[in-house]
Amino acid sequence: MPAMASHPYCGLWITRDGYIRHDLLPNGRYVEARGNRERAYQGRYEVRGNRIDYRDDTGFTADGEFRNDVLYHAGMELLRA
């Protein structure tokens, strides 16, 4: 996957309660924190238009969609930090 350094969606996204945090790194990697587990999941991501595809290091895949500066993923809404 190509580096996403200049992509506008890079950075930290969090749920309103702060429990889930997705850090979309500029090198095409992500780290998902859950509560006090800072590295609950990590892997690669790719953005195409307003869609994001995740593939964690164990091979699990997921996706999401950016709409109006909100990331919708797995029934959650994450806001830019």
Side-chain angles (χ1 to χ4, degrees):
M1 287 183 210
M4 300 278 175
S6 63
H7 204 284
Y9 298 130
C10 283
L12 186 62
W13 295 81
I14 62 173
T15 55
R16 292 182 200 281
D17 62 6
Y19 187 75
I20 306 290
R21 300 171 303 283
H22 286 193
D23 196 0
L24 303 180
L25 304 171
N27 63 356
R29 303 251 331 144
Y30 75 92
V31 177
E32 179 177 320
R34 289 180 172 250
N36 55 8
R37 289 181 56 207
E38 288 301 318
R39 293 189 174 274
Y41 301 98
Q42 55 190 339
R44 301 202 64 74
Y45 74 92
E46 188 169 355
V47 174
R48 290 187 185 101
N50 67 334
R51 303 284 305 168
I52 185 169
D53 293 306
Y54 296 92
R55 182 177 192 86
D56 80 12
D57 290 342
T58 68
F60 178 79
T61 61
D63 60 18
E65 181 179 14
F66 297 94
R67 282 184 277 142
N68 300 319
D69 217 26
V70 176
L71 169 54
Y72 295 89
H73 165 71
M76 296 179 283
E77 296 179 4
L78 294 96
L79 307 173
R80 189 182 297 277

